[in-house]
Amino acid sequence: MGKKSTKPGNETGKTEQLKADTENGQDEFLTTNQGLRINDNQNSLKSGERGATLLEDFILREKITHFDHERIPERIVHARGSAAHGYFELYESMAKYTTAGFLNDTKIKTPVFVRFSTVAGSRGSSDLARDARGFAVKFYTQEGNYDLVGNNIPVFFIQDAMKFPDLIHAVKPEPNHEMPQAASAHDTFWDFISLMPESMHMIMWVMSDRAIPRSYRMMEGFGVHTFRFINEKGKSHFVKFHWKPLLGVHSVAWDEAQNISGKDPDFHRRDLWEAIESGSFPEWEFGVQLVEEKDEFKFGFDLLDPTKLIPEEIVPVKIIGKLTLNRNPDNFFAETEQVAFHPGHLVPGIDFSNDPLLQGRLFSYTDTQLSRLGSPNFHEIPINRPVVDIHNNQRDGHMRHTINKGQTSYDPNTLGGGCPFQAMVKKMGFTSFLERIDSKKIRSRSKSFMDHFGQATLFFNSQSEAEQEHIINALRFELSKVQSPEIRQRMVNLLTQVDKKLATQVAEELGLTAGKPEMPMNHSVPADEDPKGYQPKKGTQLIDRSGALSMEHTRKDSIQTRKIAFLMANGFDDAACTAMRKALEAKGAVVKVIAPKLRMLTSATGIQSAVDESFLTAASVTYDAVYIPGGAKSVAALLQEADAIHFVNEAYKHCKAIAFGADAVKLIEASYIDMKQPDTGLIPEKGTVQKDAFIKAIAQHRFWEREKMRKVPA
Ligand code: HDE
C-alpha cells in the first residue's frame, strides 16, 4: 500500500500525486505502461461471456507483449552471478605511483558495485560448480567509472585472446547434446586442455579447493593481468591487484560441493545476501604488487604472461585500502543482470600493459554488451551510470534516455560555444602511457611465454598435503568422467611435467602409466630454436615454494557468520544449549536449531525453543559445524532419526567441528565417528572449556587429517 495514497474521487493534486507515487514505486493502483489505471486484471476482453478474445484488448496485449520480451541474452561467460553495493576506502595515498583520484585521497569514500560469478554455467546453474569465480568491481569515482574485472584465481588458462573462444567452447556444454551443465569434467574441455600446455598452471588452481569456495566472502580476488600505475610525472610502475578477504580464504570439500548443488544451488548467492542483510558486511583489503619499469625482466617469467603470478615472497602485497559490501541490490535484473563491466573502463593514472590476453579483452566487453543489453546506450542504465556528468557528441540510438539540448553535436564548433571542451590539461583527462614501441607486425608467441610448467609446479609444491591430495582427487574425478582414453593419457603425460607424484597417482586411478613428458605444443617455435623455449636469465629470482599460495596459511581467527547446526529434540539440556548459543553468537556465528519436526521444542526443564529447520529440509552441507546438546530424552529421540545420524556422519566426513554434550556421546557412537582417533575437531562436554575449544575449532574451518583415517559412507 502506498504511503501517500490518492483516494478514488479525490482529484485535487492528482497529477503530482500520481507522479510521486510512480517514482516511489508505490502507486497502489495497477496501471498500464502508459499510466492508465486498470480495473480488471483477471479477465481479458471478450465478445460475450463465452466468446473469443478481442484484438482490441490493448491491456492484455501490452501485458503479454512485455512478458514475451522480458528475457535478454545471458552473458556468454559469467552468466551465473550475484552482486552487492558498497564502498572503497583508501588507507594511504598512492600519489607517488598513480594520479588516480580515488587512490590519492584517503578522505574519499568511493561507491562500488561488485559482481561475483562462476564462469561456465548458465544463469540458472549451481553456485558450487568447480570453476573459477569472477570478482568484478565497478568503482564510481569522481573521474568516471573504473572497473577492475578480475577473478578469484591470479592466473588464466591461456596467454592470448585468440584462444578464448576455443577455451570457452571447450568448457561449455558440448554442442551436440548441451551437456554437462556448469562442469569441466567432460571430453571437450580436457581434449582442449591436453593440447594446451600453457593452461597447466591454471589447471592446478581450478583443480584445487580454490575452485569450490565456502563463500564469495571467503575468497581472494586478483586483477590477473599486469597493469600500469602512472604518476604525475608520467612515470610508470607495473602493478598487480589483489583483494584479500578479512574472513580468510576457505573452501568446501568436493563431495560437499556436489551435495550443495542439489540441496541449495543458490548457496553462495544466499550466503552473500544473508550476510549483508544481517549487517555482517563482507570486507576485503585491497593490495598492490608494484614493480619498477627497470625490473621488468628480473623475474624469470614475463610480466605480460597472464599464466604467471608474481610470488608474494618476491614482491610483497602492499595493502592500501578496504572494500566493504553493505547493501543488497533492490532488483536483481536491473542491477546484477544489467551491470556492464569492462576492463577498458579506466581512470587517469591507470593503464594497460601489453598482456595479449588483456588487449583482447578490451574489444570484447563493449561488443558483448551491445547484443546483451541491446543498445549502445547501455551506459545510461542506472547501475552503469557514472556519478560524474557525461558530455560528448554521441547521440541517439536505441533506448536513448538523455535529452541532449542545443544545436551542436560536433566538434569543433562555435555555435555551441565550443562545448564540450577537451580536458587538455594533463592531470584532468586520460593520457595513455608514453610507451616506446618500435617493432615489426608479427603474429606469434613471445619465447618469454614458453615456460608452461614452472609455476604449475610451484603451485603444487606450495600446497599442504591435504591440498595436494584434493588436487589429485579432483583430476582423478574429472578425467574419470572423460570418455576418450587418448585424452586421459595425454593429460597424464602433461601432468608428468608438473610433478611426478601427481601424475603417477592420477594415472593409477585411471589404470594408466604416466608416459614420457610431452614437449610444449601448440606454439610456432621455429625448428632451429630450442623447443623448450625461454630460459630465465642468470640471477633471476626463482623460488620453489610460496606460502601465500596455500590456503592452509590463511587467517583463521574468526567465526563471524559461520552457520552452526544445533541438533535437538524435546527434552534437550536448556542450560548447556543457551550457554553454547550465547558464546557462539557473541563471536558473530549464526545458530540454527534442527529438530525432527518443525514445531516448538520443550527442554528437560520445560523451556521452549523455536525450530529453524526439520531434518526433512536441513542438510549438513549447508552448515559449518554441529553441536548436539545433552538431555537424555532429546538424544534418545535423535537416535531414532536416521537423518540425524546421517547429518553427523556427513559433517564428520566433511571434516567439520562437532561438539556434543555428555548424553550425546550415544549419538556419536551410533555414527561412523571413531572417537579413539585424536581429533581436535571433535569436542566432548568439558564445561566452559568446551565452548572455547568449539569456537577455536570452527575458526580452523576443517580438519582435513580426518580424510586419511577412514571413508565415512555418508
Ligand atoms: Fe572476461 N568476459 N574475457 N575475463 N570476464 C566477460 O563480458 C573475455 C577474462 C571476467 O560480472 C564477458 O559482460 C575475453 C579474464 C569477469 O558482468 C565477455 C577474454 C578475466 C566477467 C568476456 C576474457 C575475466 C567477464 C561476458 C580473453 C579475469 C564477468 C559478459 C581475451 C581477469 C563480469 C560480459 C560481470 C565477462 C570476454 C578473459 C574476467 C564475453 C574475450 C582473463 C569477472 O566480454
Side-chain angles (χ1 to χ4, degrees):
M1 209 32 114
K3 277 186 218 142
K4 299 184 253 166
S5 75
T6 310
K7 296 273 180 320
N10 174 7
E11 302 299 306
T12 329
K14 188 171 169 186
T15 315
E16 287 71 26
Q17 187 59 65
L18 259 177
K19 199 165 161 249
D21 283 347
T22 310
E23 277 169 7
N24 296 335
Q26 288 175 340
D27 189 350
E28 64 186 282
F29 295 113
L30 187 69
T31 72
T32 64
N33 283 336
Q34 303 307 314
L36 175 76
R37 287 181 172 171
I38 297 171
N39 287 333
D40 182 348
N41 191 35
Q42 318 305 320
N43 301 295
S44 50
L45 191 67
K46 303 178 194 76
S47 52
E49 252 176 36
R50 300 181 56 253
T53 299
L54 297 174
L55 188 60
E56 176 197 323
D57 191 350
F58 64 95
I59 295 175
L60 172 74
R61 273 192 284 121
E62 183 198 82
K63 185 174 179 179
I64 291 192
T65 304
H66 195 279
F67 169 77
D68 290 343
H69 296 272
E70 70 188 20
R71 287 277 73 82
I72 63 170
E74 64 174 35
R75 288 166 175 80
I76 164 71
V77 281
H78 298 269
R80 169 86 187 164
S82 263
H85 295 271
Y87 54 89
F88 173 74
E89 293 164 300
L90 188 68
Y91 291 158
E92 89 178 86
S93 172
M94 287 286 103
K96 194 173 152 201
Y97 304 103
T98 172
T99 56
F102 80 108
L103 297 178
N104 278 196
D105 187 347
T106 52
K107 290 194 278 307
I108 297 179
K109 204 167 161 181
T110 307
V112 299
F113 189 66
V114 181
R115 184 173 181 274
F116 305 104
S117 47
T118 52
V119 181
S122 297
R123 243 190 92 176
S125 59
S126 160
D127 284 342
L128 259 294
R130 174 176 293 285
D131 202 349
R133 299 295 184 288
F135 193 130
V137 183
K138 189 179 282 295
F139 296 84
Y140 301 91
T141 87
Q142 290 303 319
E143 297 168 296
N145 288 350
Y146 170 58
D147 292 353
L148 182 50
V149 198
N151 279 346
N152 75 329
I153 291 179
V155 290
F156 202 63
F157 292 98
I158 48 167
Q159 295 174 323
D160 193 303
M162 195 68 154
K163 298 313 298 166
F164 190 68
D166 298 303
L167 166 73
I168 300 306
H169 286 173
V171 72
K172 284 264 178 183
E174 298 186 8
N176 45 346
H177 48 45
E178 186 84 3
M179 289 189 280
Q181 177 57 245
S184 53
H186 59 113
D187 283 54
T188 55
F189 179 68
W190 289 104
D191 185 22
F192 177 78
I193 293 298
S194 68
L195 299 167
M196 292 292 289
E198 71 200 51
S199 65
M200 227 29 62
H201 186 193
M202 178 76 169
I203 284 296
M204 289 298 113
W205 283 82
V206 286
M207 292 299 116
S208 81
D209 294 344
R210 299 273 181 154
I212 38 175
R214 157 66 182 83
S215 159
Y216 290 138
R217 304 176 294 124
M218 297 172 201
M219 59 184 205
E220 289 179 298
F222 303 90
V224 178
H225 315 279
T226 301
F227 290 86
R228 285 179 188 276
F229 268 169
I230 317 293
N231 70 12
E232 215 177 2
K233 295 194 183 101
K235 187 171 177 305
S236 150
H237 278 81
F238 293 107
V239 58
K240 291 264 193 192
F241 295 115
H242 294 249
W243 294 108
K244 301 225 173 239
L246 292 193
L247 292 177
V249 190
H250 301 288
S251 294
V252 299
W254 174 232
D255 177 70
E256 192 181 1
Q258 292 176 84
N259 278 322
I260 295 174
S261 292
K263 299 283 184 185
D264 186 7
D266 304 309
F267 186 70
H268 285 155
R269 180 174 287 185
R270 192 183 312 286
D271 169 273
L272 181 67
W273 180 275
E274 285 180 354
I276 293 174
E277 287 300 295
S278 73
S280 292
F281 301 140
E283 293 170 317
W284 288 260
E285 283 190 316
F286 188 48
V288 288
Q289 283 177 300
L290 293 162
V291 175
E292 287 195 44
E293 284 267 321
K294 69 173 172 52
D295 292 335
E296 181 174 2
F297 300 105
K298 83 166 191 193
F299 295 103
F301 58 87
D302 198 325
L303 282 183
L304 305 185
D305 174 356
T307 67
K308 305 294 185 298
L309 53 84
I310 310 179
E312 292 185 27
E313 288 76 6
I314 294 178
V315 179
V317 175
K318 184 179 172 59
I319 299 297
I320 63 167
K322 194 173 79 174
L323 164 73
T324 306
L325 298 181
N326 66 347
R327 183 161 66 85
N328 279 316
D330 291 314
N331 184 285
F332 188 94
F333 180 82
E335 299 173 88
T336 308
E337 197 57 20
Q338 292 203 114
V339 66
F341 292 97
H342 188 340
H345 290 165
L346 289 186
V347 286
I350 305 181
D351 206 346
F352 317 116
S353 70
N354 291 335
D355 173 342
L357 189 69
L358 172 60
Q359 298 278 322
R361 293 177 72 196
L362 299 180
F363 163 74
S364 173
Y365 288 67
T366 313
D367 192 38
T368 202
Q369 315 304 356
L370 288 173
S371 58
R372 195 168 71 78
L373 299 170
S375 129
N377 290 316
F378 62 81
H379 61 280
E380 297 197 326
I381 294 171
I383 194 66
N384 295 323
R385 277 184 214 150
V387 291
V388 289
D389 292 339
I390 297 174
H391 305 283
N392 59 39
N393 292 315
Q394 292 167 29
R395 291 290 184 274
D396 311 341
H398 276 298
M399 301 299 160
R400 184 69 169 181
H401 291 197
T402 309
I403 302 176
N404 297 101
K405 296 184 181 153
Q407 191 181 7
T408 56
S409 55
Y410 56 88
D411 169 66
N413 71 63
T414 56
L415 294 177
C419 292
F421 300 109
Q422 295 177 146
M424 292 294 235
V425 192
K426 236 186 175 180
K427 268 188 275 172
M428 277 175 63
F430 180 80
T431 314
S432 294
F433 176 61
L434 282 179
E435 186 180 358
R436 190 189 169 85
I437 308 231
D438 176 16
S439 52
K440 291 184 188 143
K441 240 188 239 177
I442 180 165
R443 200 183 275 282
S444 86
R445 197 75 56 98
S446 167
K447 274 203 282 168
S448 57
F449 279 37
M450 290 296 169
D451 170 19
H452 302 321
F453 301 99
Q455 288 207 349
T457 308
L458 169 68
F459 181 79
F460 188 72
N461 284 346
S462 305
Q463 304 301 296
S464 67
E465 202 186 329
E467 286 172 315
Q468 287 193 342
E469 200 57 32
H470 292 174
I471 294 175
I472 293 167
N473 285 337
L475 281 160
R476 285 170 166 172
F477 178 95
E478 297 265 321
L479 296 175
S480 296
K481 289 259 189 177
V482 167
Q483 304 295 306
S484 155
E486 293 78 21
I487 296 175
R488 287 192 220 134
Q489 184 68 59
R490 270 209 308 272
M491 265 321 297
V492 167
N493 293 355
L494 260 188
L495 293 176
T496 57
Q497 292 181 82
V498 179
D499 183 86
K500 205 74 212 182
K501 168 182 130 187
L502 165 72
T504 317
Q505 296 199 10
V506 173
E508 235 167 49
E509 176 77 22
L510 302 172
L512 300 174
T513 324
K516 266 219 281 206
E518 309 245 349
M519 282 303 173
M521 292 171 280
N522 207 41
H523 297 299
S524 46
V525 181
D528 57 339
E529 290 187 20
D530 176 5
K532 286 206 204 86
Y534 184 71
Q535 297 298 326
K537 281 196 199 100
K538 273 206 177 127
T540 51
Q541 282 182 278
L542 296 174
I543 54 170
D544 52 18
R545 267 184 180 66
S546 162
L549 299 180
S550 165
M551 287 194 288
E552 203 57 40
H553 304 130
T554 191
R555 56 201 297 171
K556 295 176 178 172
D557 54 356
S558 164
I559 65 164
Q560 184 84 24
T561 69
R562 295 307 176 93
K563 280 180 79 182
I564 322 298
F566 277 30
L567 307 190
M568 302 163 21
N570 282 327
F572 67 92
D573 176 347
D574 177 59
C577 193
T578 308
M580 182 62 91
R581 178 190 277 270
K582 267 196 186 155
L584 296 175
E585 288 180 345
K587 297 279 179 196
V590 179
V591 169
K592 298 280 176 193
V593 172
I594 299 168
K597 293 276 177 296
L598 207 52
R599 59 176 77 109
M600 277 301 217
L601 293 180
T602 310
S603 77
T605 52
I607 308 284
Q608 299 248 296
S609 166
V611 172
D612 296 294
E613 280 193 277
S614 76
F615 285 109
L616 186 66
T617 56
S620 84
V621 291
T622 61
Y623 289 90
D624 293 292
V626 183
Y627 173 57
I628 311 143
K633 240 180 96 188
S634 166
V635 174
L638 291 177
L639 276 166
Q640 299 306 308
E641 292 283 332
D643 288 342
I645 296 167
H646 177 74
F647 200 102
V648 173
N649 273 334
E650 206 176 41
Y652 178 77
K653 176 181 180 178
H654 297 143
C655 307
K656 296 174 182 175
I658 301 173
F660 46 95
D663 302 316
V665 172
K666 288 199 182 110
L667 196 70
I668 303 295
E669 282 166 357
S671 75
Y672 277 90
I673 296 176
D674 184 354
M675 296 235 282
K676 289 194 283 303
Q677 298 287 348
D679 190 334
T680 42
L682 270 186
I683 303 146
E685 179 79 72
K686 275 191 218 139
T688 51
V689 186
Q690 187 188 34
K691 289 190 268 316
D692 295 343
F694 193 36
I695 288 167
K696 218 167 139 202
I698 300 166
Q700 279 301 303
H701 189 62
R702 296 299 163 94
F703 297 85
W704 298 121
E705 58 276 11
R706 258 182 225 164
E707 288 176 334
K708 277 196 279 184
M709 290 188 262
R710 62 191 307 203
K711 270 210 149 144
V712 178

